[in-house]
Amino acid sequence: MTSVPTPIPSRTQYVLDAIKHRILTGQLTPGQALVETELAAQFGVSKTPVREALKTLAGTGLVVMSQYKGVTVRMVDADMAREVYDVRLLLEPEALRRAVRRGASLDAARTALTRADDATDTAERSLANREFHRALYLPCGNPLLGRMLDEVRDQAALVSAVAWAASPSWEREAGEHREILRLALEGDADGAARALHAHIASFVERAFPQATDLTDRGANQAANQEGTA
């Protein structure tokens, strides 16, 4: 029986998922070079799917393509954290508020939280935490808002991976996650949104003190939103 070659799109997706997983779990570190020939050999594919996967990752902000340095994993610094978390502070609490107010199911968030609590390594815990946050904002009732948050989701995970490598703080964050979910399940939309805002702001403040001005701006914006609600 003649074997059928795997279609190029499938190969590209396989390589894309594998590289992304390595980046977001810290196996590939910020600044590390991503060489097409080496990656192709590792995954048993030609350079074409590797090249396409790297282009996609560059579009999501996980890697950087340079004419002189080639492709590298994106560096994480206070400026990058400020940009990503500023977007999260502006959009994510509001998405959760809307999800709670419309009575959306949060079963997926509960499942992700349990998975994070039961995780046996940092990689599994990180992936579960990403799913927890996504399960909070996705049922907001506004698909565009969900897609906007999805666009910064990988970059936020990269920031978290770097921060955890320097100073693991998952126990504190797990407690904050439980409180956010408790408020959401009780139907306290504003309380859950405030708790989520504080959770996001405090994380980046601890991990990147140089970016604390964004938390001040975010707090002021949240206060203004509360005052006009």
Side-chain angles (χ1 to χ4, degrees):
M1 186 175 184
T2 305
S3 62
V4 179
T6 304
I8 290 297
S10 296
R11 292 178 180 174
T12 300
Q13 189 62 48
Y14 164 70
V15 173
L16 173 64
D17 292 342
I19 296 175
K20 180 189 291 189
H21 184 273
R22 292 184 183 186
I23 292 173
L24 298 182
T25 57
Q27 297 175 59
L28 292 172
T29 57
Q32 185 169 341
L34 301 176
V35 183
E36 287 183 10
T37 52
E38 294 178 357
L39 292 170
Q42 290 176 26
F43 297 124
V45 298
S46 69
K47 291 195 297 183
T48 299
V50 173
R51 186 177 302 115
E52 293 304 314
L54 292 176
K55 287 180 181 178
T56 299
L57 290 170
T60 64
L62 285 183
V63 307
V64 176
M65 291 183 161
S66 169
Q67 181 178 354
Y68 303 103
K69 295 183 179 180
V71 183
T72 57
V73 179
R74 182 174 182 177
M75 294 295 295
V76 175
D77 56 20
D79 288 338
M80 186 266 200
R82 180 185 298 111
E83 292 173 2
V84 173
Y85 275 73
D86 200 21
V87 172
R88 291 188 67 192
L89 284 169
L90 288 168
L91 301 182
E92 201 167 324
E94 177 59 27
L96 174 58
R97 180 185 286 109
R98 294 186 179 198
V100 175
R101 285 179 175 171
R102 67 194 299 261
S105 172
L106 295 174
D107 288 346
R110 196 201 311 265
T111 299
L113 187 57
T114 299
R115 180 181 159 203
D117 288 340
D118 294 340
T120 57
D121 58 53
T122 300
E124 176 65 18
R125 186 176 299 111
S126 176
L127 292 173
N129 282 344
R130 292 180 69 217
E131 290 306 316
F132 173 77
H133 277 274
R134 191 168 192 261
L136 293 179
Y137 68 69
L138 205 59
C140 67
N142 184 329
L144 178 58
L145 179 55
R147 289 196 298 271
M148 291 173 69
L149 283 164
D150 273 349
E151 287 183 5
V152 298
R153 182 167 173 250
D154 288 343
Q155 294 180 55
L158 180 58
V159 173
S160 297
V162 170
W164 275 15
S167 178
S169 56
W170 62 269
E171 289 185 350
R172 172 173 177 169
E173 288 142 32
E176 293 172 353
H177 284 172
R178 284 189 286 271
E179 176 63 10
I180 293 166
L181 184 59
R182 181 188 69 79
L183 291 167
L185 290 174
E186 290 179 354
D188 186 352
D190 290 335
R194 284 193 297 269
L196 178 58
H197 186 283
H199 166 69
I200 296 171
S202 64
F203 175 81
V204 73
E205 183 178 357
R206 292 193 307 271
F208 296 91
Q210 308 94 315
T212 52
D213 63 318
L214 87 82
T215 62
D216 293 337
R217 291 201 309 272
N220 291 334
Q221 290 163 346
N224 290 337
Q225 289 173 358
E226 291 295 332
T228 57

